[in-house]
Amino acid sequence: MSSSKSGRIIRRIGAFHAKNLTKDAYKTLPTHELLQALGFVKQSQSGLVHWLPLGLKSLNKISEVIKKHMDQDLGASEVSLSTLSARKLWEKTGRWGNTELFKLKDAKKADYCLNPTCEEEITALVGGYVSSYKDLPLIAYQITRKYRDERRPRGGLLRGREFLMKDAYSFDASKADAVATFDRVNKCYDGIFQDLGVPFVSAWADSGDIGGDMSKEYHYEHESGEDTVLKCDNCGSISNVEKCSSVPVEEGLHSGNADVKYALNACGDTLICLYYPEGRTLNWNLVKEALQEDVDVSMRDSDNLTILDKFKSTLSEDSELFASVVRVMDVRLNSRSNFPDFPLKQYMKSNFAQLGGVSLVDAIAGEICGSCQEGNLSEARTIEVGHSFYLGQKYSKVMKAKYMNKDNKDDFLEMGCYGIGVSRLVAAIGQVTRDKQGLRWPRAASPFEVTVCVPAPDERGTEVAEQLCNSSIDVWIDEDARTGLGRKVLQSHATGIPLCVAVGSKQWPFVDVEVRGERRANSWEQRYAQASRDEWTLTDQTDAGIEKHRVHKDRVAEVVTVLLADM
Ligand SMILES: [Zn+2]
């Protein structure tokens, strides 16, 4: 990636920076504690943090990568909406009842919430400005703090009650245009996550509470992740478990007990009996697909008795005989499976419809991919860092956000919404890239590109730092006389800064450039081969296995630029 526009020298992280952590702490502290111990953030309350200089620098770097792509790839307009939102807006969309909303009252006892997301506000806002199809498409985004009254805040920044989020909203004139925008934003997201320098996967996903019928998630693979995706080794499809269909290696092999879940069809006059292997999890997306959407999923969490009572209440006593029933069999079951008793006492089997050969349960590793019917599925634990949704007219209809179409008729706006958890990314990148020596930022997310370490403030350190700065490199100069040079270098590595330049008096006018960052390419080797060994030598690795270059002070900016280009 290109270097930042202008380099800066930061001299003082000051009291916020960690001192005298043991090597063992770098290795063993959980990442959210390491981020605190090294002075990136400070937790103030459960789920709330203060951002300290190092953490804020990382946060801003990540924000810049996102902004660059939103502006250049999409021509999106940056806005910043009010954090407070009035109750009446949220009542229109039926979301005021959300138990995770942070709610508050003003002096006149009017209700507000702290925005967790801004579909309501942005739809009201844009609806007031867009009048014609000629104003479309429109994409607006912001990077602002959001709030969620998380009952069980966990993992510090990963699941906080206050978080920095990039949220974007698209407005189009037709479904086809909206889907094209959805694809365009996903391409933009690919660019953002590529630039951030950490391998990612994107997965088709269930859209959950936000609605719509097309959504994609962006994840980092890591064993500590709370999410699971399933990957096919043949077609390469990656899905969230809610969206993954699978088939067993052989059909009808489940010989144990079958479980049943009752449901009603959309108009409530047909009982649907969903049979699936005991111990597996019913997947409502697959159920909807099997029944071609003719199922009332609002009762999915009601127990079987409640659903049965509701169904029976539609029948008179003698009409039980003619009750309309659909039995749906998961493909893993067979006729010898042990089925639970049928709930209606008298019934006529001729009124039963039976549907078989469909998969009704969450996919598990080892089964066959439902998309290509060939590959094997494997599971990976992941941390979700981004999400995109096609929303359709879900919000524009209830908010009455209209525009004039080409036929001079009013129509509702077609929408999409797109989130990236920016503060979550700091935690997630920190987590997936760290090693036993501490943090290890990719260049794009690192608070600084280079640390210049000097034993105490002196001209040599300033000369090197200024050279680097003049070459548009972001420099942190650590010259605190209370800490020895070796300790400073160790701290720079543990803080995860990609390069560290140690300026000691013994080897001057040479300096040592140590490489902590992970390389994504090896273009430096060619430049190294061409350079004079009198000015640039690769020396032995340090005891900690860190690559070390001895470089003449007049070449340091050039060498650092070459080394950074691969990171
Ligand atoms: Zn496949």
Side-chain angles (χ1 to χ4, degrees):
M1 63 171 284
S2 62
S3 55
S4 55
K5 278 178 216 112
S6 65
R8 276 164 293 174
I9 301 178
I10 304 283
R11 286 178 184 275
R12 301 201 65 84
I13 300 299
F16 293 122
H17 190 230
K19 291 169 196 74
N20 300 323
L21 277 173
T22 63
K23 281 185 185 173
D24 198 43
Y26 297 142
K27 187 166 139 188
T28 57
L29 278 181
T31 303
H32 65 276
E33 285 176 35
L34 190 59
L35 284 166
Q36 293 197 67
L38 287 167
F40 282 75
V41 291
K42 175 68 185 166
Q43 181 167 313
S44 59
Q45 303 287 329
S46 174
L48 298 175
V49 299
H50 298 306
W51 287 87
L52 305 181
L54 286 171
L56 190 58
K57 290 272 294 170
S58 275
L59 201 61
N60 290 341
K61 286 256 176 107
I62 293 169
S63 298
E64 286 307 317
V65 171
I66 295 172
K67 280 186 190 183
K68 186 188 93 181
H69 280 279
M70 293 302 293
D71 296 346
Q72 291 177 5
D73 303 356
L74 300 173
S77 310
E78 188 177 5
V79 294
S80 181
L81 304 189
S82 166
T83 299
L84 288 174
S85 192
R87 172 179 182 156
K88 58 181 189 298
L89 218 48
W90 287 75
E91 282 183 334
K92 281 187 188 169
T93 59
R95 297 209 294 179
W96 180 255
N98 184 335
T99 53
E100 290 191 342
L101 276 185
F102 256 113
K103 294 173 184 170
L104 59 161
K105 284 184 192 295
D106 69 8
K108 294 172 192 156
K109 302 272 184 281
D111 287 311
Y112 289 84
C113 68
L114 298 173
N115 280 322
T117 168
C118 290
E119 284 81 10
E120 281 79 0
E121 289 288 355
I122 196 83
T123 309
L125 179 76
V126 169
Y129 282 96
V130 169
S131 53
S132 148
Y133 69 93
K134 289 174 186 160
D135 296 324
L136 302 171
L138 185 152
I139 302 175
Y141 79 98
Q142 58 177 351
I143 298 181
T144 55
R145 292 192 182 194
K146 309 292 190 307
Y147 299 84
R148 180 177 50 206
D149 196 0
E150 183 72 57
R151 294 293 189 266
R152 294 169 299 134
R154 251 180 301 173
L157 299 170
L158 283 175
R159 189 185 281 262
R161 297 196 289 166
E162 177 185 55
F163 47 97
L164 190 70
M165 188 166 90
K166 189 285 296 174
D167 46 331
Y169 307 88
S170 64
F171 300 86
D172 279 283
S174 68
K175 177 165 184 179
D177 288 355
V179 170
T181 298
F182 177 81
D183 290 340
R184 232 154 47 87
V185 178
N186 284 324
K187 249 191 210 119
C188 167
Y189 270 31
D190 288 344
I192 290 169
F193 287 110
Q194 268 155 25
D195 272 6
L196 288 176
V198 177
F200 67 98
V201 296
S202 60
W204 290 102
D206 187 33
S207 43
D209 186 37
I210 295 196
D213 55 7
M214 212 167 33
S215 94
K216 217 169 187 189
E217 290 174 353
Y218 291 77
H219 295 267
Y220 289 151
E221 277 188 45
H222 196 262
E223 69 272 10
S224 73
E226 286 184 356
D227 289 292
T228 305
V229 297
L230 288 132
K231 301 197 282 187
C232 170
D233 64 7
N234 179 52
C235 68
S237 83
I238 299 177
S239 322
N240 183 308
V241 69
E242 280 98 23
K243 271 281 158 157
C244 185
S245 78
S246 65
V247 288
V249 177
E250 257 186 87
E251 294 186 5
L253 276 191
H254 180 81
S255 52
N257 292 338
D259 252 337
V260 66
K261 171 73 187 166
Y262 299 132
L264 300 179
N265 68 339
C267 61
D269 64 1
T270 299
L271 180 70
I272 299 165
C273 310
L274 303 161
Y275 295 99
Y276 60 99
E278 189 180 71
R280 296 291 293 268
T281 307
L282 202 60
N283 181 311
W284 286 93
N285 283 315
L286 297 178
V287 169
K288 280 198 291 191
E289 214 171 286
L291 293 161
Q292 295 173 339
E293 305 286 324
D294 189 14
V295 54
D296 177 7
V297 292
S298 69
M299 292 190 75
R300 58 191 268 179
D301 295 324
S302 307
D303 60 45
N304 278 349
L305 272 180
T306 309
I307 292 167
L308 210 52
D309 283 348
K310 188 169 181 203
F311 179 62
K312 280 182 177 168
S313 72
T314 67
L315 306 170
S316 62
E317 205 150 292
D318 50 348
S319 73
E320 200 170 289
L321 197 59
F322 306 104
S324 163
V325 177
V326 179
R327 308 176 86 206
V328 190
M329 302 286 171
D330 181 82
V331 65
R332 294 159 188 82
L333 300 174
N334 62 48
S335 56
R336 292 179 310 284
S337 302
N338 188 16
F339 290 93
D341 288 339
F342 188 70
L344 300 180
K345 286 191 204 85
Q346 351 178 0
Y347 52 88
M348 275 202 327
K349 271 209 157 168
S350 58
N351 288 335
F352 284 14
Q354 179 139 331
L355 181 62
V358 290
S359 181
L360 298 178
V361 295
D362 282 352
I364 54 173
E367 290 190 317
I368 305 295
C369 167
S371 307
C372 68
Q373 305 275 338
E374 275 183 37
N376 285 300
L377 293 172
S378 63
E379 278 181 8
R381 303 293 290 171
T382 59
I383 303 171
E384 187 191 335
V385 285
H387 208 150
S388 57
F389 302 90
Y390 160 70
L391 295 172
Q393 298 178 331
K394 180 182 156 96
Y395 289 92
S396 57
K397 269 189 179 157
V398 290
M399 308 285 300
K400 305 209 174 5
K402 294 181 189 173
Y403 72 101
M404 184 89 76
N405 67 20
K406 281 181 181 162
D407 306 323
N408 283 334
K409 288 193 179 119
D410 272 353
D411 201 355
F412 294 108
L413 290 162
E414 278 278 337
M415 291 175 58
C417 73
Y418 314 89
I420 292 180
V422 186
S423 46
R424 190 180 172 86
L425 266 172
V426 173
I429 293 175
Q431 172 83 311
V432 302
T433 57
R434 70 169 291 182
D435 60 17
K436 61 184 192 303
Q437 293 172 46
L439 300 172
R440 195 182 189 193
W441 299 104
R443 179 190 187 183
S446 180
F448 300 96
E449 292 170 307
V450 180
T451 317
V452 173
C453 295
V454 274
D458 76 358
E459 286 164 11
R460 288 180 285 234
T462 304
E463 183 186 337
V464 169
E466 277 174 359
Q467 261 198 63
L468 293 170
C469 185
N470 291 338
S471 298
S472 303
I473 294 162
D474 247 352
V475 182
W476 170 25
I477 179 160
D478 186 357
E479 52 191 3
D480 186 337
R482 292 171 297 180
T483 316
L485 185 60
R487 179 96 217 157
K488 287 191 178 97
V489 171
L490 188 72
Q491 279 193 358
S492 170
H493 294 336
T495 306
I497 310 300
L499 296 177
C500 175
V501 180
V503 184
S505 51
K506 267 188 270 171
Q507 70 265 30
W508 189 259
F510 287 85
V511 297
D512 286 332
V513 180
E514 296 196 9
V515 180
R516 167 71 173 139
E518 192 175 355
R519 286 199 174 91
R520 302 158 75 190
N522 282 302
S523 67
W524 72 277
E525 286 172 343
Q526 199 188 347
R527 297 289 299 274
Y528 177 71
Q530 292 160 354
S532 157
R533 287 293 78 80
D534 293 338
E535 293 174 329
W536 179 7
T537 334
L538 190 58
T539 65
D540 283 345
Q541 288 187 346
T542 67
D543 294 342
I546 300 260
E547 180 184 307
K548 195 164 156 180
H549 301 250
R550 184 149 292 183
V551 181
H552 190 273
K553 69 175 177 67
D554 294 338
R555 300 291 301 276
V556 70
E558 186 191 331
V559 170
V560 162
T561 303
V562 166
L563 294 174
L564 281 175
D566 288 338
M567 294 178 182

